[in-house]
mmCIF file of all heavy atoms in Angstrom:
data_model
loop_
_atom_site.group_PDB
_atom_site.id
_atom_site.type_symbol
_atom_site.label_atom_id
_atom_site.label_comp_id
_atom_site.label_asym_id
_atom_site.label_seq_id
_atom_site.Cartn_x
_atom_site.Cartn_y
_atom_site.Cartn_z
ATOM 1 N N GLN A 19 -10.475 43.112 -41.325
ATOM 2 C CA GLN A 19 -9.442 42.330 -42.017
ATOM 3 C C GLN A 19 -8.339 43.253 -42.380
ATOM 4 O O GLN A 19 -8.619 44.543 -42.754
ATOM 5 C CB GLN A 19 -9.947 41.718 -43.324
ATOM 6 C CG GLN A 19 -11.020 40.716 -43.140
ATOM 7 C CD GLN A 19 -10.418 39.457 -42.345
ATOM 8 O OE1 GLN A 19 -9.289 39.138 -42.569
ATOM 9 N NE2 GLN A 19 -11.184 38.878 -41.430
ATOM 10 N N PRO A 20 -7.069 42.923 -42.259
ATOM 11 C CA PRO A 20 -5.952 43.831 -42.638
ATOM 12 C C PRO A 20 -5.935 44.096 -44.127
ATOM 13 O O PRO A 20 -6.324 43.233 -44.931
ATOM 14 C CB PRO A 20 -4.708 43.024 -42.160
ATOM 15 C CG PRO A 20 -5.232 41.642 -41.975
ATOM 16 C CD PRO A 20 -6.606 41.642 -41.729
ATOM 17 N N VAL A 21 -5.478 45.271 -44.440
ATOM 18 C CA VAL A 21 -5.284 45.702 -45.779
ATOM 19 C C VAL A 21 -3.727 46.081 -46.063
ATOM 20 O O VAL A 21 -3.227 46.813 -45.224
ATOM 21 C CB VAL A 21 -6.131 46.927 -46.134
ATOM 22 C CG1 VAL A 21 -5.985 47.364 -47.619
ATOM 23 C CG2 VAL A 21 -7.650 46.715 -45.879
ATOM 24 N N VAL A 22 -3.223 45.470 -47.067
ATOM 25 C CA VAL A 22 -1.850 45.651 -47.273
ATOM 26 C C VAL A 22 -1.703 46.224 -48.759
ATOM 27 O O VAL A 22 -2.553 46.050 -49.611
ATOM 28 C CB VAL A 22 -0.885 44.414 -47.197
ATOM 29 C CG1 VAL A 22 -1.097 43.872 -45.736
ATOM 30 C CG2 VAL A 22 -1.424 43.326 -48.220
ATOM 31 N N ASN A 23 -0.502 46.839 -49.029
ATOM 32 C CA ASN A 23 -0.282 47.303 -50.400
ATOM 33 C C ASN A 23 0.461 46.146 -51.148
ATOM 34 O O ASN A 23 0.708 45.046 -50.608
ATOM 35 C CB ASN A 23 0.442 48.706 -50.438
ATOM 36 C CG ASN A 23 1.771 48.665 -49.801
ATOM 37 O OD1 ASN A 23 2.381 47.502 -49.614
ATOM 38 N ND2 ASN A 23 2.376 49.710 -49.380
ATOM 39 N N LEU A 24 0.863 46.406 -52.323
ATOM 40 C CA LEU A 24 1.485 45.410 -53.153
ATOM 41 C C LEU A 24 2.829 45.056 -52.650
ATOM 42 O O LEU A 24 3.432 43.982 -53.022
ATOM 43 C CB LEU A 24 1.609 45.778 -54.655
ATOM 44 C CG LEU A 24 0.233 45.685 -55.352
ATOM 45 C CD1 LEU A 24 0.411 46.311 -56.758
ATOM 46 C CD2 LEU A 24 -0.439 44.427 -55.365
ATOM 47 N N ASN A 25 3.424 45.943 -51.806
ATOM 48 C CA ASN A 25 4.698 45.654 -51.219
ATOM 49 C C ASN A 25 4.536 44.737 -49.889
ATOM 50 O O ASN A 25 5.569 44.451 -49.141
ATOM 51 C CB ASN A 25 5.486 46.906 -50.864
ATOM 52 C CG ASN A 25 5.916 47.656 -52.079
ATOM 53 O OD1 ASN A 25 6.190 46.976 -53.123
ATOM 54 N ND2 ASN A 25 5.887 48.989 -52.011
ATOM 55 N N GLY A 26 3.348 44.449 -49.506
ATOM 56 C CA GLY A 26 3.096 43.749 -48.282
ATOM 57 C C GLY A 26 3.097 44.613 -47.047
ATOM 58 O O GLY A 26 2.992 44.002 -45.925
ATOM 59 N N GLU A 27 3.135 45.838 -47.250
ATOM 60 C CA GLU A 27 3.018 46.775 -46.053
ATOM 61 C C GLU A 27 1.683 47.043 -45.667
ATOM 62 O O GLU A 27 0.808 47.363 -46.475
ATOM 63 C CB GLU A 27 3.807 48.060 -46.412
ATOM 64 C CG GLU A 27 5.212 47.948 -46.869
ATOM 65 C CD GLU A 27 5.680 49.177 -47.587
ATOM 66 O OE1 GLU A 27 4.860 49.942 -48.311
ATOM 67 O OE2 GLU A 27 6.941 49.411 -47.614
ATOM 68 N N ARG A 28 1.430 46.826 -44.365
ATOM 69 C CA ARG A 28 0.020 47.132 -43.826
ATOM 70 C C ARG A 28 -0.304 48.598 -43.837
ATOM 71 O O ARG A 28 0.467 49.422 -43.367
ATOM 72 C CB ARG A 28 -0.003 46.601 -42.401
ATOM 73 C CG ARG A 28 -1.474 46.696 -41.862
ATOM 74 C CD ARG A 28 -1.506 46.101 -40.508
ATOM 75 N NE ARG A 28 -2.758 46.305 -39.889
ATOM 76 C CZ ARG A 28 -3.511 45.370 -39.344
ATOM 77 N NH1 ARG A 28 -3.106 44.088 -39.267
ATOM 78 N NH2 ARG A 28 -4.753 45.594 -38.803
ATOM 79 N N VAL A 29 -1.500 48.913 -44.429
ATOM 80 C CA VAL A 29 -1.913 50.313 -44.534
ATOM 81 C C VAL A 29 -3.125 50.608 -43.690
ATOM 82 O O VAL A 29 -3.512 51.733 -43.510
ATOM 83 C CB VAL A 29 -2.282 50.748 -45.966
ATOM 84 C CG1 VAL A 29 -0.964 50.611 -46.903
ATOM 85 C CG2 VAL A 29 -3.327 49.837 -46.675
ATOM 86 N N GLY A 30 -3.758 49.596 -43.231
ATOM 87 C CA GLY A 30 -4.845 49.733 -42.331
ATOM 88 C C GLY A 30 -5.749 48.442 -42.300
ATOM 89 O O GLY A 30 -5.178 47.317 -42.543
ATOM 90 N N MET A 31 -6.991 48.692 -41.972
ATOM 91 C CA MET A 31 -7.884 47.555 -41.895
ATOM 92 C C MET A 31 -9.383 47.949 -42.461
ATOM 93 O O MET A 31 -9.676 49.149 -42.292
ATOM 94 C CB MET A 31 -8.018 46.875 -40.550
ATOM 95 C CG MET A 31 -8.626 47.737 -39.429
ATOM 96 S SD MET A 31 -8.818 46.861 -38.019
ATOM 97 C CE MET A 31 -9.606 48.084 -36.963
ATOM 98 N N ILE A 32 -10.093 46.993 -42.917
ATOM 99 C CA ILE A 32 -11.425 47.279 -43.333
ATOM 100 C C ILE A 32 -12.410 47.645 -42.229
ATOM 101 O O ILE A 32 -12.407 46.834 -41.285
ATOM 102 C CB ILE A 32 -12.034 46.079 -44.216
ATOM 103 C CG1 ILE A 32 -11.269 45.975 -45.480
ATOM 104 C CG2 ILE A 32 -13.533 46.333 -44.472
ATOM 105 C CD1 ILE A 32 -11.516 47.008 -46.613
ATOM 106 N N GLU A 33 -12.884 48.804 -42.315
ATOM 107 C CA GLU A 33 -13.909 49.085 -41.129
ATOM 108 C C GLU A 33 -15.299 48.797 -41.611
ATOM 109 O O GLU A 33 -16.100 48.361 -40.849
ATOM 110 C CB GLU A 33 -13.799 50.621 -40.989
ATOM 111 C CG GLU A 33 -14.611 51.180 -39.670
ATOM 112 C CD GLU A 33 -14.310 52.587 -39.483
ATOM 113 O OE1 GLU A 33 -13.313 52.873 -38.919
ATOM 114 O OE2 GLU A 33 -15.133 53.394 -39.919
ATOM 115 N N ASP A 34 -15.593 48.919 -42.909
ATOM 116 C CA ASP A 34 -17.037 48.676 -43.414
ATOM 117 C C ASP A 34 -17.031 48.656 -44.952
ATOM 118 O O ASP A 34 -16.064 49.101 -45.504
ATOM 119 C CB ASP A 34 -17.869 49.759 -42.973
ATOM 120 C CG ASP A 34 -19.316 49.256 -42.672
ATOM 121 O OD1 ASP A 34 -19.668 48.122 -43.005
ATOM 122 O OD2 ASP A 34 -20.138 50.117 -42.165
ATOM 123 N N ILE A 35 -18.006 47.937 -45.411
ATOM 124 C CA ILE A 35 -18.232 47.938 -46.855
ATOM 125 C C ILE A 35 -19.451 48.746 -47.082
ATOM 126 O O ILE A 35 -20.533 48.453 -46.533
ATOM 127 C CB ILE A 35 -18.417 46.531 -47.459
ATOM 128 C CG1 ILE A 35 -17.137 45.636 -47.081
ATOM 129 C CG2 ILE A 35 -18.583 46.624 -48.996
ATOM 130 C CD1 ILE A 35 -15.916 46.056 -47.751
ATOM 131 N N ILE A 36 -19.485 49.784 -48.021
ATOM 132 C CA ILE A 36 -20.582 50.573 -48.217
ATOM 133 C C ILE A 36 -20.805 50.749 -49.822
ATOM 134 O O ILE A 36 -19.905 50.412 -50.589
ATOM 135 C CB ILE A 36 -20.393 51.995 -47.663
ATOM 136 C CG1 ILE A 36 -19.206 52.780 -48.290
ATOM 137 C CG2 ILE A 36 -20.223 51.911 -46.203
ATOM 138 C CD1 ILE A 36 -19.169 54.273 -47.921
ATOM 139 N N ARG A 37 -21.991 51.192 -50.092
ATOM 140 C CA ARG A 37 -22.278 51.606 -51.490
ATOM 141 C C ARG A 37 -22.701 53.189 -51.505
ATOM 142 O O ARG A 37 -23.559 53.519 -50.816
ATOM 143 C CB ARG A 37 -23.437 50.861 -52.055
ATOM 144 C CG ARG A 37 -23.765 51.161 -53.545
ATOM 145 C CD ARG A 37 -24.943 50.363 -54.060
ATOM 146 N NE ARG A 37 -26.173 50.700 -53.383
ATOM 147 C CZ ARG A 37 -26.893 51.798 -53.685
ATOM 148 N NH1 ARG A 37 -26.511 52.571 -54.621
ATOM 149 N NH2 ARG A 37 -27.957 52.076 -53.130
ATOM 150 N N SER A 38 -21.997 53.941 -52.344
ATOM 151 C CA SER A 38 -22.386 55.311 -52.559
ATOM 152 C C SER A 38 -23.701 55.402 -53.252
ATOM 153 O O SER A 38 -23.897 54.826 -54.277
ATOM 154 C CB SER A 38 -21.308 55.950 -53.272
ATOM 155 O OG SER A 38 -21.780 57.339 -53.661
ATOM 156 N N THR A 39 -24.574 56.228 -52.645
ATOM 157 C CA THR A 39 -25.881 56.396 -53.371
ATOM 158 C C THR A 39 -25.792 57.427 -54.329
ATOM 159 O O THR A 39 -26.679 57.723 -55.212
ATOM 160 C CB THR A 39 -27.034 56.813 -52.283
ATOM 161 O OG1 THR A 39 -26.579 58.015 -51.638
ATOM 162 C CG2 THR A 39 -27.334 55.643 -51.334
ATOM 163 N N GLU A 40 -24.583 58.166 -54.459
ATOM 164 C CA GLU A 40 -24.378 59.214 -55.444
ATOM 165 C C GLU A 40 -23.881 58.570 -56.777
ATOM 166 O O GLU A 40 -24.412 58.894 -57.781
ATOM 167 C CB GLU A 40 -23.325 60.182 -54.936
ATOM 168 C CG GLU A 40 -23.752 60.995 -53.781
ATOM 169 C CD GLU A 40 -22.699 61.830 -53.165
ATOM 170 O OE1 GLU A 40 -21.611 62.056 -53.821
ATOM 171 O OE2 GLU A 40 -22.847 62.371 -52.084
ATOM 172 N N ASP A 41 -22.984 57.650 -56.769
ATOM 173 C CA ASP A 41 -22.439 57.096 -57.964
ATOM 174 C C ASP A 41 -22.678 55.588 -58.024
ATOM 175 O O ASP A 41 -22.270 54.923 -58.996
ATOM 176 C CB ASP A 41 -20.920 57.363 -58.118
ATOM 177 C CG ASP A 41 -20.091 56.713 -57.035
ATOM 178 O OD1 ASP A 41 -20.635 56.047 -56.206
ATOM 179 O OD2 ASP A 41 -18.854 57.180 -57.022
ATOM 180 N N ASN A 42 -23.327 55.023 -57.085
ATOM 181 C CA ASN A 42 -23.654 53.565 -57.049
ATOM 182 C C ASN A 42 -22.478 52.689 -57.010
ATOM 183 O O ASN A 42 -22.521 51.466 -57.425
ATOM 184 C CB ASN A 42 -24.598 53.142 -58.203
ATOM 185 C CG ASN A 42 -25.389 51.949 -57.894
ATOM 186 O OD1 ASN A 42 -25.826 51.718 -56.682
ATOM 187 N ND2 ASN A 42 -25.689 51.129 -58.856
ATOM 188 N N GLN A 43 -21.327 53.113 -56.653
ATOM 189 C CA GLN A 43 -20.062 52.436 -56.612
ATOM 190 C C GLN A 43 -19.855 51.871 -55.120
ATOM 191 O O GLN A 43 -20.266 52.516 -54.071
ATOM 192 C CB GLN A 43 -18.954 53.296 -56.932
ATOM 193 C CG GLN A 43 -17.637 52.563 -57.073
ATOM 194 C CD GLN A 43 -16.529 53.432 -57.838
ATOM 195 O OE1 GLN A 43 -16.764 54.437 -58.389
ATOM 196 N NE2 GLN A 43 -15.247 52.881 -57.731
ATOM 197 N N TYR A 44 -19.291 50.685 -55.072
ATOM 198 C CA TYR A 44 -18.913 50.075 -53.777
ATOM 199 C C TYR A 44 -17.581 50.485 -53.209
ATOM 200 O O TYR A 44 -16.623 50.600 -54.101
ATOM 201 C CB TYR A 44 -18.985 48.567 -53.888
ATOM 202 C CG TYR A 44 -20.414 48.015 -54.159
ATOM 203 C CD1 TYR A 44 -20.921 47.935 -55.485
ATOM 204 C CD2 TYR A 44 -21.176 47.642 -53.087
ATOM 205 C CE1 TYR A 44 -22.269 47.496 -55.654
ATOM 206 C CE2 TYR A 44 -22.467 47.194 -53.285
ATOM 207 C CZ TYR A 44 -23.008 47.133 -54.536
ATOM 208 O OH TYR A 44 -24.217 46.715 -54.653
ATOM 209 N N TYR A 45 -17.406 50.811 -51.960
ATOM 210 C CA TYR A 45 -16.232 51.205 -51.426
ATOM 211 C C TYR A 45 -15.839 50.354 -50.142
ATOM 212 O O TYR A 45 -16.805 50.009 -49.332
ATOM 213 C CB TYR A 45 -16.268 52.678 -50.856
ATOM 214 C CG TYR A 45 -16.370 53.586 -52.016
ATOM 215 C CD1 TYR A 45 -17.672 53.956 -52.521
ATOM 216 C CD2 TYR A 45 -15.289 54.187 -52.592
ATOM 217 C CE1 TYR A 45 -17.726 54.874 -53.646
ATOM 218 C CE2 TYR A 45 -15.398 55.122 -53.594
ATOM 219 C CZ TYR A 45 -16.615 55.490 -54.105
ATOM 220 O OH TYR A 45 -16.664 56.433 -55.103
ATOM 221 N N GLY A 46 -14.624 50.140 -49.936
ATOM 222 C CA GLY A 46 -14.078 49.528 -48.684
ATOM 223 C C GLY A 46 -13.640 50.672 -47.881
ATOM 224 O O GLY A 46 -12.792 51.483 -48.335
ATOM 225 N N MET A 47 -14.246 50.819 -46.726
ATOM 226 C CA MET A 47 -13.797 51.968 -45.789
ATOM 227 C C MET A 47 -12.576 51.313 -45.075
ATOM 228 O O MET A 47 -12.814 50.455 -44.212
ATOM 229 C CB MET A 47 -14.916 52.339 -44.827
ATOM 230 C CG MET A 47 -16.174 52.886 -45.627
ATOM 231 S SD MET A 47 -15.878 54.257 -46.703
ATOM 232 C CE MET A 47 -15.435 55.466 -45.491
ATOM 233 N N ILE A 48 -11.537 52.070 -45.217
ATOM 234 C CA ILE A 48 -10.274 51.554 -44.600
ATOM 235 C C ILE A 48 -9.842 52.546 -43.480
ATOM 236 O O ILE A 48 -9.696 53.743 -43.607
ATOM 237 C CB ILE A 48 -9.046 51.573 -45.598
ATOM 238 C CG1 ILE A 48 -9.515 50.656 -46.717
ATOM 239 C CG2 ILE A 48 -7.770 51.153 -45.006
ATOM 240 C CD1 ILE A 48 -8.486 50.447 -47.902
ATOM 241 N N ASP A 49 -9.720 51.851 -42.334
ATOM 242 C CA ASP A 49 -9.329 52.628 -41.119
ATOM 243 C C ASP A 49 -7.725 52.634 -41.179
ATOM 244 O O ASP A 49 -7.096 51.569 -41.320
ATOM 245 C CB ASP A 49 -9.693 51.854 -39.846
ATOM 246 C CG ASP A 49 -9.226 52.506 -38.494
ATOM 247 O OD1 ASP A 49 -8.349 53.428 -38.622
ATOM 248 O OD2 ASP A 49 -9.636 51.967 -37.507
ATOM 249 N N LEU A 50 -7.150 53.883 -41.297
ATOM 250 C CA LEU A 50 -5.762 53.950 -41.487
ATOM 251 C C LEU A 50 -4.950 53.827 -40.167
ATOM 252 O O LEU A 50 -3.756 54.092 -40.191
ATOM 253 C CB LEU A 50 -5.450 55.389 -42.084
ATOM 254 C CG LEU A 50 -6.122 55.615 -43.318
ATOM 255 C CD1 LEU A 50 -5.790 56.944 -43.886
ATOM 256 C CD2 LEU A 50 -5.702 54.561 -44.431
#
């Protein structure tokens, strides 16, 4: 899925959704 900033400019796309096992936080991996 495309990722845009608040100005509507495309910055990349979601490559994967992961959970860090270090801090238990969820991240969207963005292909630039």
Side-chain angles (χ1 to χ4, degrees):
Q19 293 297 322
V21 179
V22 297
N23 61 22
L24 291 175
N25 294 327
E27 301 163 333
R28 186 173 172 132
V29 295
M31 70 177 177
I32 293 287
E33 186 174 282
D34 211 349
I35 304 294
I36 64 168
R37 184 183 66 79
S38 168
T39 56
E40 295 171 11
D41 63 7
N42 205 32
Q43 187 166 349
Y44 291 85
Y45 291 87
M47 299 303 293
I48 299 177
D49 179 348
L50 301 176

